Amino acid sequence: MTNTAIACSSVTILFATLILLFYSFFFIHDRSNADRVSLRCVVLASFTNIISCIFSIAMCFIRGDQLSCIVFDIFFQFLDVVSAGLLSVIGVNLVLIFVIKVEHTKYFERYYYLFITLYSLLLIIVPVYEMITSRNPIGRAHHNCWFFYNIGNRENNPSSWHLLSPQWSS
């Protein structure tokens, strides 16, 4: 399973890097068309995705009971939400442009980034609290950090979605 995670993260890094390279080329040759809020959000989402994948690969080589696993886990969750938030803002921005007919969306761009940052920080408060207060993490020493974050933690967590579903509770 770890090899699959490394392979998927590597492919993601490759294609996200291609997005960054194509945007750089586009920006150099046609700056006026490349200077758009939506394109900047795609580029920033690709960049955060690259960093997130680097954390994912590193988590494959760290034991689940190490402090660095918890730190990587927090950054991994934060960057996942930031990346999704940046891609979501593209839709909001396009609605402002095409439906509401706002002409200068660059004014809203700083609010987009502020909202995404605050929203991402807010969403990691509960996982950070759970990590700090859990005194006996189940199975952490027996798995690598990636496995514990993606599979082990979700199976042993009392607030997991599958424990609330009747088909999984038996």
Side-chain angles (χ1 to χ4, degrees):
M1 195 170 305
T2 305
N3 292 335
T4 306
I6 293 170
C8 289
S9 293
S10 299
V11 169
T12 302
I13 289 172
L14 172 70
F15 285 111
T17 303
L18 285 175
I19 290 171
L20 295 178
L21 290 174
F22 283 132
Y23 179 77
S24 299
F25 179 77
F26 187 46
F27 189 78
I28 290 169
H29 292 289
D30 193 4
R31 185 172 287 208
S32 62
N33 284 327
D35 191 25
R36 306 215 183 271
V37 175
S38 298
L39 289 176
R40 280 193 294 275
C41 286
V42 168
V43 168
L44 287 173
S46 298
F47 182 72
T48 57
N49 208 359
I50 288 171
I51 297 170
S52 178
C53 287
I54 291 170
F55 278 118
S56 180
I57 291 172
M59 288 167 69
C60 293
F61 300 103
I62 298 172
R63 274 196 357 239
D65 60 345
Q66 293 179 334
L67 178 63
S68 56
C69 177
I70 294 171
V71 173
F72 278 24
D73 185 11
I74 292 167
F75 280 114
F76 188 73
Q77 289 180 48
F78 177 75
L79 291 172
D80 277 350
V81 176
V82 167
S83 182
L86 286 165
L87 294 175
S88 299
V89 160
I90 294 170
V92 171
N93 191 54
L94 292 176
V95 166
L96 286 174
I97 292 171
F98 293 116
V99 177
I100 302 176
K101 307 285 187 204
V102 174
E103 298 210 7
H104 301 289
T105 58
K106 282 189 178 184
Y107 173 76
F108 295 108
E109 188 175 9
R110 67 182 71 127
Y111 295 110
Y112 293 158
Y113 300 143
L114 177 67
F115 175 75
I116 290 167
T117 304
L118 292 175
Y119 180 72
S120 301
L121 288 171
L122 182 68
L123 286 182
I124 64 168
I125 289 174
V126 172
V128 167
Y129 176 76
E130 285 182 355
M131 284 182 221
I132 291 171
T133 58
S134 71
R135 302 213 188 279
N136 188 16
I138 302 170
R140 273 195 152 192
H142 302 293
H143 299 293
N144 66 21
C145 186
W146 183 91
F147 180 87
F148 182 76
Y149 168 71
N150 288 291
I151 297 165
N153 191 29
R154 295 168 196 233
E155 289 179 356
N156 299 315
N157 190 343
S159 63
S160 290
W161 62 270
H162 75 273
L163 294 177
L164 301 175
S165 176
Q167 66 188 15
W168 295 101
S169 61
S170 55

